């Protein structure tokens, strides 16, 4: 491409010539230009060039002699401050192929910034022939101007070296420069005049320029310093807001970290992904995808709660299919390997990051979390596979020997056992299980979890957690129905916020929903499932099948509505079975539901997800109310019908009552509310020694005062019965967990016991909702275990078994594996501790119907099926397959009730009390009282020493006051004597 332009050829200035005028001679030149490229088109324009790629940067360095680059960021304050000054220099000194000014955004061109070692913004770098010769960090206008002027001088002469320009203290004016044109003779006078003129001009301009430059430099330094300190403080405060009391590694530089320590102190630790909410919002970013094996399929199976669960199964290879290649010979494709891990930027990080530094730190935390999550998943899979292999290898049963079956089964023949667990376990083992299948209970989403979550969305969950910790004993909620590990022997009181509390604030009502209902539902659902197994479904179906029946009535006294939700699950299952058989019609079973709630705020919340429910502020008291008949105006000839309930769930009602007679009054009230014809009373308390003692006291009182003894069993001893609570005893029996109706082997002495180690309690695993997990302060684990003590009693119906306890224990020890008659499940021994699995035998700690705690041993030589079922048994199961050996197990029930020692029991030394009268006060001291044996600690000794010192100082002050008074008195007497002498 040929272009014709007009170029100006200037005459060369020679300072040694006397003339000062120069003439510009213009000539016409024809210059040949190539096609316009980046280097030839962009640099013809004035102003800085914005670099958009690595190619543009390389082209700029290779096609330009001097390049002044500004490495900046959009969020950088000093960068914005010095940008106008950089643009002025660019417009003034830009020259095509000689001098170019470039702006490089470090966020968009991170590779260029990393290659040039840029660590702070702004950074100015000067390149000569592609090599960096000068670096200026920070917003320093004077230093930048000086460096640009030096760099511009390099572009005009190719002979100059960058080292000579940027390292020498200054330039030499005048000499050394070649003179163009014809030489002339020396003129001494003219040369002297020129030198004097130049020196004068130099001195004049020097002082004025230095003064202005100093002022401008000082102002720019002050602005830069103020701006830099402001930016550092901003970074530090944003780091505190984002990461709280933690700090990512290497997030702040030395100056920023020093300011951080001065403002907030050193951070507690390095930031973890949980500190910035990454585990909660990890689903917003990329996910880790693990390919499913080709021989594995999935099915959706409906669970008992109405939801669906995914079930995996193996697909058997078909005939004719080619075998899959081995992992050694198979080479995965790039696309297949990309499916295994998806690396995508997190939407959560992009949403919360306020600057590139935060984004980089959060991205690193997200990657650490994903790596840890993937490793945890791999470890769990590997551990599960290893456990399955060890279990299968060490304890694999000979199924052909246990369950012989012929190769050809007639079409009309029915197998004795089906597939799955019914084929691998004895039927009596499955009937005696305490936990269902699956062992973990899932809280109903539509009727419990979702309504509570919707109610909690109105309040910040952090405030609800604070209120829950204040109401339920602190971190971990130890006084809620759930007791954290390690807090069982510390706080052994009742629940901190019972549902019958008359006054609750708005935040306390939300805390009750979030911290009380989930574990309460799990414990009540577990007990209801066990009661349904032991009584059978007949006691529910009989009421539902009656024509015109109102159904079953239930009272939730203490569970806060969670008991009603659990009861609806059981009742709906029985109703669906009857509806499939065509016995009943309709989608909802009839019945009456009542719950005790003392607070209006709590009642309004429970109404949103407990329809058709009656709310009572307290328990009805029929024990002290008279009959409504006779002479009263609002009564008829017949007494009015009183309320009675087929099921009463008394959850956490007795432990909060400190006195035994208060518990007796609550029990009497509940018993009068219970239906006389088969009503069921369930008592649940917390799983610690005091909670067990409250449940055991209720059981002991029922057996001694309310229920008739069973056939073949002696009546429980009744000592010191309160005549005010004496009732006519009636039929009834204990449904669960006890298999005997005698004295509890762990509660032989009534009352509290010091140092109790063994007590009867059970556990239930459940899936924690997200809001409940946050209440506990653990956002990663969604599995929880609630432990509880309970007893279930049926009123009006005795047990069908006629055998005494010792006889039932003998039969259970012999086992029912090959027995033609089925056992009575309520007479079988129950496991009160987890089974001890050893190589070749299993040890079971059971509570027998004889009323003893025994240790039964089931070796492999006794029975392979019994040994297999014993290894798979769980805590709380009933055992029906017998054992080979049995021994009595001692129970650690503590030191007994504190009765005051031997002297209170009538020992040899009587108690002597000395009564004295001191200053009108009557005091009594026991002469034979025991001395304090406990040695004083260091703090007590220091306290006693301080007391002695203070007493000594008081005594010394009194003596000094007495001496001073005596001296004053002597002086007065002497003055009086002198006055008398003068007279």
């Amino acid at each position: 491409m040929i272009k014709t332009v007009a170029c100006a050829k200037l005459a060369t200035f020679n300072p040694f010539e006397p003339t000062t005028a120069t003439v510009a001679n213009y000539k016409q030149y024809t210059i040949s230009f190539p096609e316009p490229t980046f280097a030839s088109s962009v640099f013809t324009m004035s102003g800085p060039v914005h670099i958009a790629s690595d190619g543009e940067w390389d082209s700029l360095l290779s096609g330009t002699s001097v390049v002044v680059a500004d490495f900046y960021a959009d969020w950088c304050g000093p960068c914005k401050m010095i940008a106008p000054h950089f643009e002025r220099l660019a417009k003034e000194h830009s020259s095509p192929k000689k001098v170019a000014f470039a702006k490089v955004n470090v966020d968009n061109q991170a590779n260029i910034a990393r290659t040039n070692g840029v660590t702070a913004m702004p950074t100015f770098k000067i390149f000569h022939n592609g090599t960096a010769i000068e670096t200026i960090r920070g917003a320093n206008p004077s230093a930048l101007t000086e460096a640009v002027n030096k760099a511009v001088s390099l572009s005009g002469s190719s002979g100059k070296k960058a080292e000579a320009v940027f390292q020498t203290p200054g330039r030499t004016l005048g000499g050394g420069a070649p003179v163009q044109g014809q030489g002339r003779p020396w003129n001494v006078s003219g040369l002297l005049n020129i030198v004097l003129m130049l020196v004068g001009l130099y001195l004049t301009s020097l002082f004025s320029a230095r003064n202005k430059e100093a002022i401008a430099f000082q102002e720019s330094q002050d602005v830069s310093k103020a701006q830099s300190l402001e930016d550092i403080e901003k970074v530090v405060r944003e780091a505190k807001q984002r990461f709280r009391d933690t700090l990512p590694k290497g997030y702040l530089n030395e100056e920023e970290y020093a300011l951080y320590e001065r403002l907030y102190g050193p951070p507690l630790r390095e930031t973890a992904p949980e500190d910035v909410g990454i585990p909660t919002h990890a689903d917003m970013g990329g996910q880790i995808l693990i390919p499913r094996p080709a021989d594995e399929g999935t099915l959706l199976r409906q669970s008992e709660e109405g939801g669906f669960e995914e079930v995996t199964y193996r697909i058997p290879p078909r005939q004719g299919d080619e075998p899959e290649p081995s992992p050694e010979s198979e080479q995965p494709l790039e696309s297949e390997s990309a499916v295994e891990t998806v690396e995508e930027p997190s939407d959560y990080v992009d949403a919360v990051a306020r600057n590139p530094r935060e984004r980089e730190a959060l991205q690193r935390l997200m990657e650490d979390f994903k790596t840890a999550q993937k490793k945890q998943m791999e470890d769990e899979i590997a551990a599960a596979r290893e456990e399955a292999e060890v279990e299968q290898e060490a304890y694999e049963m000979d199924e052909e020997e246990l369950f012989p079956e012929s190769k050809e089964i007639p079409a009309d023949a029915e197998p004795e056992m089906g597939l799955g667990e019914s084929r691998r376990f004895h039927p009596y083992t499955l009937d005696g299980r305490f936990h269902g299948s699956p062992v973990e209970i899932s809280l109903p989403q539509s009727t419990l979890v979702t309504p509570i979550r919707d109610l909690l969305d109105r309040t910040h969950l952090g405030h609800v957690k604070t209120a829950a910790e204040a109401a339920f004993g602190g971190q971990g909620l130890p006084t809620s129905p759930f007791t954290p590990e390690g807090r069982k022997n510390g706080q052994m009181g009742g629940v901190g916020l019972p549902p019958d509390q008359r006054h609750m604030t708005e935040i306390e009502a939300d805390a009750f929903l979030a911290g009380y209902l989930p574990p309460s539902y799990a414990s009540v659902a577990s007990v209801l499932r066990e009661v349904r197994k032991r009584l059978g479904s007949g006691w529910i179906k009989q009421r539902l099948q009656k024509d015109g029946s109102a159904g079953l009535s239930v009272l939730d006294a203490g569970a806060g509505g969670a008991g009603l939700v659990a009861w609806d699950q059981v009742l709906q299952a029985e109703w669906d079975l009857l509806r499939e058989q065509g016995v009943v019609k309709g989608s909802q079973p009839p019945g009456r539901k009542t719950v005790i709630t003392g607070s209006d705020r709590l009642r309004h919340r429970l109404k949103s997800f407990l329809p058709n429910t009656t709310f009572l502020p307290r328990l009805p008291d029929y024990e002290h109310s008279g009959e409504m008949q006779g002479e009263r105006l609002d009564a008829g000839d017949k007494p009015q019908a009183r309320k009675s309930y087929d099921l009463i769930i008394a959850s956490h009602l007795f432990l909060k009552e400190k006195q035994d007679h208060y518990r007796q009054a609550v029990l009497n009230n509940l018993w009068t509310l219970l239906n006389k014809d088969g009503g069921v009373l369930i008592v649940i308390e917390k799983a610690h020694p005091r909670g067990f003692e409250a449940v055991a006291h209720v059981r002991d009182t029922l057996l001694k005062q309310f229920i008739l003894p069973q056939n073949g069993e002696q009546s429980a001893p009744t000592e010191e019965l309160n005549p005010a609570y004496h009732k006519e005893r009636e039929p009834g029996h204990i449904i669960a967990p006890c298999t005997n109706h005698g004295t509890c082997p762990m509660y032989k002495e009534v009352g509290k016991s010091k140092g109790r180690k063994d007590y009867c309690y059970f556990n239930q695993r459940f899936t924690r909702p997200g809001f409940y997990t946050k209440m506990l302060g653990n956002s990663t684990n969604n599995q929880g275990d609630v432990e509880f003590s309970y007893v279930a009693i049926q009123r009006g119906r005795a047990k069908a078994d006629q055998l005494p306890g010792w006889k039932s224990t003998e039969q259970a020890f012999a086992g029912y594996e090959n027995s033609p008659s089925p056992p009575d499940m309520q007479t079988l021994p129950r496991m009160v501790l987890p089974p001890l699995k050893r190589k070749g035998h299993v040890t079971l700690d059971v509570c027998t119907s004889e009323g003893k705690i025994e240790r039964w041993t089931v070796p492999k030589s006794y029975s392979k099926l019994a040994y297999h079922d014993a290894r798979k048994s769980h805590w709380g199961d009933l055992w029906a397959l017998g054992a080979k050996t049995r021994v009595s197990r001692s129970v650690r029930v503590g030191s007994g009730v504190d009765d005051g020692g031997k002297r209170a029991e009538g020992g040899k030394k009587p108690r002597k009390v000395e009564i004295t009268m001191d200053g009108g006060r009557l005091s009594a001291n026991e002469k034979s009282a025991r001395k304090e044996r406990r040695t004083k600690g260091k703090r007590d000794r220091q306290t006693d020493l301080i007391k002695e010192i203070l007493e000594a100082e008081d005594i010394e002050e009194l003596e000094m006051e007495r001496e001073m008074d005596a001296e004053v008195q002597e002086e007065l007497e002497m003055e009086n004597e002198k006055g008398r002498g003068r007279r």
Side-chain angles (χ1 to χ4, degrees):
M1 181 177 181
I2 306 300
K3 289 187 178 180
T4 302
V5 297
C7 297
K9 182 178 179 181
L10 301 178
T12 304
F13 172 72
N14 190 350
F16 298 99
E17 293 182 357
T19 177
T20 58
T22 60
V23 180
N25 299 323
Y26 291 90
K27 294 184 179 180
Q28 191 76 14
Y29 290 93
T30 302
I31 303 176
S32 179
F33 290 94
E35 289 295 329
T37 59
F38 174 81
S40 61
S41 62
V42 176
F43 304 138
T44 58
M45 296 182 297
S46 61
V49 179
H50 292 269
I51 302 300
S53 65
D54 294 348
E56 293 182 2
W57 173 252
D58 296 337
S59 177
L60 177 64
L61 291 180
S62 61
T64 309
S65 176
V66 175
V67 177
V68 182
D70 175 15
F71 293 90
Y72 73 99
D74 294 334
W75 45 267
C76 174
C79 299
K80 297 179 180 179
M81 180 195 72
I82 202 171
H85 183 72
F86 183 79
E87 291 180 359
R88 285 194 298 270
L89 292 175
K91 293 179 180 179
E92 181 179 354
H93 298 288
S94 293
S95 177
K97 294 188 179 182
K98 291 184 178 182
V99 180
F101 289 78
K103 293 185 71 66
V104 182
N105 192 328
V106 296
D107 295 336
N108 301 332
Q109 306 300 326
N111 187 26
I112 300 176
R114 191 183 306 108
T115 304
N116 291 278
V118 176
T119 58
M121 277 69 71
T123 295
F124 300 93
K125 281 185 171 289
I126 299 177
F127 297 86
H128 180 58
N129 295 331
T131 304
I133 59 176
E134 181 71 356
T135 301
I136 302 171
R137 292 184 176 88
N140 193 342
S142 60
L144 179 61
T145 303
E146 183 179 358
V148 169
N149 292 331
K150 291 180 180 181
V152 170
S153 67
L154 291 175
S155 65
S157 176
S158 61
K160 288 187 179 181
K161 294 184 179 181
E163 293 81 358
V165 174
F166 283 92
Q167 292 184 1
T168 55
R171 301 176 185 175
T172 301
L173 298 177
V179 180
Q180 297 182 3
Q182 185 176 1
R184 301 193 179 194
W186 290 84
N187 188 348
V188 178
S189 61
L191 179 62
L192 182 61
N193 293 332
I194 293 173
V195 171
L196 292 176
M197 181 183 64
L198 291 175
V199 170
L201 292 174
Y202 174 76
L203 293 175
T204 304
S205 61
L206 177 65
F207 289 106
S208 61
R210 285 291 179 87
N211 190 19
K212 293 181 180 180
E213 184 178 355
I215 295 173
F217 177 77
Q218 184 65 30
E219 291 177 354
S220 64
Q221 286 289 99
D222 295 341
V223 173
S224 176
K225 185 176 180 180
Q227 187 69 22
S228 178
L229 292 177
E230 182 180 355
D231 294 337
I232 291 174
E233 183 178 359
K234 180 181 179 182
V235 171
V236 170
R237 294 191 182 278
E238 288 181 351
K240 180 65 175 178
Q241 294 174 2
R242 174 64 62 200
F243 305 108
R244 300 294 181 182
D245 296 330
T246 63
L247 201 64
K249 185 177 181 180
Y251 185 78
L252 301 178
N253 56 29
E254 295 182 359
E255 297 181 3
E256 294 168 346
Y257 187 79
L259 180 60
Y260 184 95
E261 276 193 325
R262 189 167 72 251
L263 292 178
Y264 310 110
L268 298 179
R269 52 179 171 80
E270 289 187 11
T271 305
E274 294 80 6
D275 300 326
V276 290
I278 287 179
T280 306
H281 305 88
D283 54 349
M284 293 176 61
Q287 299 178 354
I288 300 173
L289 302 179
I290 298 178
R292 187 181 300 278
D295 60 343
E296 184 176 301
T298 59
L299 289 175
L300 292 179
R301 182 179 65 184
Q302 188 171 8
S303 60
E304 296 180 358
E305 291 77 14
F308 292 90
E309 58 182 354
E310 185 176 352
V311 180
T312 60
Y313 65 93
R314 291 290 179 184
I315 302 175
R318 296 177 297 178
Q319 295 182 358
D321 292 346
E322 296 181 359
E324 295 183 357
S326 60
E328 291 81 3
S329 62
E330 184 179 1
Q331 298 295 333
L333 300 176
E334 295 182 359
S335 59
E336 294 178 356
S337 61
V339 175
E340 184 174 351
T341 310
V342 178
E343 297 289 345
E344 295 181 358
S346 173
D347 295 339
Y348 174 69
V349 173
D350 294 337
V352 301
R354 294 173 292 189
N355 52 61
R357 189 187 300 194
E358 279 191 7
R359 188 184 187 281
E360 184 178 357
L362 293 175
Q363 189 66 31
R364 287 199 302 266
L365 292 173
M366 178 68 77
E367 293 174 358
D368 295 343
F369 171 74
K370 290 182 179 180
T371 303
Q373 192 178 35
K374 183 178 179 180
K375 186 178 182 302
Q376 181 182 2
M377 186 184 304
E378 293 175 352
D379 293 343
E380 290 178 356
I381 294 174
R385 289 177 179 174
E386 183 179 356
E387 183 180 357
E389 291 176 359
V390 172
E391 187 77 13
Q392 183 178 3
E393 180 180 354
Y395 310 112
E396 185 177 12
M397 299 299 301
D398 188 1
E399 297 186 358
E400 295 183 358
E401 183 179 351
L402 292 176
F403 307 107
E405 56 182 359
S406 58
K407 295 183 179 179
E408 296 181 359
I409 302 176
D412 56 349
E414 295 182 0
E416 295 182 359
M417 292 187 179
L419 300 176
E421 290 185 341
S422 60
R423 192 189 187 288
R424 292 181 286 111
F425 292 89
H426 198 281
Y428 298 154
T429 302
L430 298 177
D431 293 341
R433 282 184 174 178
F434 176 73
H435 299 93
S437 180
V439 176
E440 187 178 22
I441 289 180
S442 297
L443 275 65
Q445 295 291 325
S446 59
T447 57
L448 186 64
V449 177
T450 302
I452 295 178
R453 186 186 296 115
D454 295 340
L455 291 171
L456 296 178
D457 286 343
R458 304 176 302 177
T459 310
H460 192 278
L461 206 56
H463 299 165
V464 180
K465 178 184 177 183
T466 303
E469 291 178 349
F472 296 117
Q475 188 175 6
L477 312 184
T479 59
S480 67
F482 166 77
T483 304
E485 195 66 29
R487 305 291 295 271
K488 297 178 182 178
N489 295 325
Q491 299 176 351
M492 293 191 292
V495 294
L497 188 64
D500 58 353
Q501 181 172 315
R502 297 299 302 273
H503 177 71
M504 285 187 188
T505 61
E506 297 287 348
I507 196 68
E508 285 179 344
D510 291 337
F512 180 88
L513 297 179
Y516 191 98
L517 292 186
S520 181
Y521 170 85
S523 59
V524 174
S526 179
V527 175
L528 287 177
R529 185 168 55 186
E530 179 67 13
V531 170
R532 179 189 179 190
K533 286 182 178 180
R534 301 302 149 239
L535 290 181
S537 59
W539 70 289
I540 299 178
K541 291 181 179 180
Q542 289 177 2
R543 296 295 183 90
L544 297 178
Q545 291 177 0
K546 288 183 179 180
D547 295 336
S549 173
L552 286 87
S553 58
V554 56
L555 173 63
D556 184 350
L564 299 182
V565 179
W567 169 250
D568 286 340
Q569 303 294 318
V570 176
L571 191 63
Q572 189 66 42
E574 297 291 350
W575 181 261
D576 292 340
L577 291 176
L578 293 177
R579 189 176 58 179
E580 291 178 0
Q581 298 173 2
V583 179
V584 296
K585 297 181 180 180
S587 59
Q588 297 295 329
R592 294 185 294 111
K593 297 180 295 183
T594 307
V595 61
I596 304 298
T597 52
S599 172
D600 294 338
R601 294 182 174 90
L602 179 60
R603 182 171 66 253
H604 293 327
R605 285 165 170 78
L606 295 179
K607 281 182 179 180
S608 61
F609 60 93
L610 293 179
N612 302 324
T613 303
T614 303
F615 293 84
L616 298 179
R618 59 183 179 274
L619 279 175
D621 188 3
Y622 293 149
E623 184 71 17
H624 301 89
S625 60
E627 298 290 344
M628 294 296 293
Q629 64 173 352
E631 299 178 356
R632 294 178 175 83
L633 296 177
D634 55 349
D637 298 334
K638 297 180 179 180
Q640 294 183 1
R642 295 188 173 186
K643 293 181 180 179
S644 64
Y645 299 94
D646 299 301
L647 175 66
I648 298 179
I649 304 171
S651 181
H652 308 288
L653 288 184
F654 295 92
L655 184 57
K656 63 181 181 179
E657 303 295 343
K658 303 301 182 183
Q659 303 296 331
D660 291 343
H661 61 277
Y662 290 159
R663 297 178 180 176
Q664 179 81 42
V666 175
L667 179 59
N668 290 342
N669 198 11
L670 293 174
W671 193 256
T672 56
L673 295 173
L674 193 61
N675 189 357
K676 297 181 179 179
D677 185 17
V680 176
L681 173 63
I682 297 175
V683 178
I684 302 175
E685 290 294 344
K686 289 176 64 65
H688 49 63
R690 300 289 90 86
F692 160 74
E693 290 166 354
V695 175
H697 179 74
V698 172
R699 176 187 180 275
D700 190 67
T701 305
L702 289 172
L703 292 177
K704 291 179 179 179
Q705 303 182 25
F706 291 80
I707 298 176
L708 291 172
Q710 302 299 312
N711 294 331
E713 295 184 359
Q714 297 180 357
S715 176
T718 55
E719 299 177 359
E720 299 180 359
L721 291 180
N722 190 346
Y725 297 125
H726 181 68
K727 290 180 175 293
E728 193 70 26
R729 303 177 72 174
E730 54 186 306
H733 72 282
I734 296 176
I735 304 171
C738 308
T739 59
N740 66 85
H741 285 69
T743 303
C744 177
M746 296 185 182
Y747 191 73
K748 295 183 178 180
E749 295 184 4
V750 179
K752 299 179 181 179
S753 180
K754 290 184 178 180
R756 180 185 295 277
K757 299 297 182 181
D758 292 333
Y759 51 94
C760 182
Y761 68 100
F762 304 89
N763 73 328
Q764 177 59 56
R765 178 169 296 178
F766 68 101
T767 303
R768 296 174 177 172
F771 60 83
Y772 182 66
T773 303
K774 293 179 181 178
M775 293 298 104
L776 300 180
N778 187 357
S779 59
T780 58
N781 187 13
N782 64 343
Q783 288 186 347
D785 290 278
V786 57
E787 297 178 344
F788 53 90
S789 297
Y790 82 98
V791 64
I793 309 99
Q794 187 175 27
R795 181 183 183 185
R797 297 181 184 178
K799 277 201 322 183
D801 182 69
Q802 302 294 328
L803 296 178
W806 65 270
K807 186 65 174 177
S808 300
T809 304
E810 292 290 340
Q811 292 183 359
F813 179 73
Y816 293 92
E817 180 178 349
N818 301 317
S819 175
S821 58
D824 182 5
M825 302 302 294
Q826 296 189 42
T827 62
L828 296 178
R830 187 182 294 274
M831 301 179 196
V832 293
L833 288 173
L836 302 176
K837 303 176 184 179
R838 298 293 183 264
K839 186 175 181 179
H841 70 277
V842 183
T843 303
L844 309 176
D845 293 321
V846 296
C847 179
T848 65
S849 58
E850 192 178 357
K852 296 180 180 179
I853 304 295
E854 295 181 350
R855 176 163 288 181
W856 291 14
T857 304
V858 183
K860 192 173 184 179
S861 59
Y862 172 74
S863 170
K864 291 185 178 180
L865 180 58
Y867 173 72
H868 170 267
D869 290 2
R871 293 195 64 85
K872 301 297 182 180
S873 60
H874 295 86
W875 177 15
D877 294 350
L878 298 174
W879 183 246
L881 301 186
K884 187 174 183 179
T885 61
R886 53 183 288 202
V887 295
S888 179
R889 184 185 183 277
S890 59
V891 183
R892 299 169 296 176
V893 295
S895 59
V897 182
D898 186 12
D899 51 6
K902 292 184 178 180
R903 294 188 301 273
E905 299 177 357
K908 295 182 179 179
K909 294 182 179 180
R911 300 176 65 180
K912 296 182 180 180
V913 179
E914 182 180 2
I915 300 176
T916 58
M917 183 78 80
D918 184 11
R921 296 181 179 179
L922 189 66
S923 62
N925 299 320
E926 186 178 354
K927 287 187 176 182
S928 58
R930 273 193 248 174
K931 295 182 179 180
E932 184 67 31
R933 295 182 180 179
R934 185 178 60 181
T935 59
K936 293 184 177 181
K938 183 178 180 180
R939 180 175 295 180
D940 295 336
R941 292 196 297 269
Q942 292 178 352
T943 304
D944 295 342
L945 181 60
I946 292 173
K947 288 181 179 180
E948 293 178 1
I949 294 173
L950 293 177
E951 290 176 357
E953 290 179 354
D954 294 340
I955 295 173
E956 187 176 358
E957 288 180 359
L958 290 175
E959 291 179 356
M960 292 177 62
E961 289 179 357
R962 291 174 183 174
E963 292 177 359
M964 293 176 64
D965 292 340
E967 292 178 357
V968 171
Q969 189 67 24
E970 289 179 359
E971 291 178 357
L972 292 175
E973 291 179 356
M974 292 176 62
E975 290 179 358
N976 292 334
E977 290 178 357
K978 289 180 179 180
R980 293 174 184 174
R982 291 174 181 175
R983 291 177 183 177

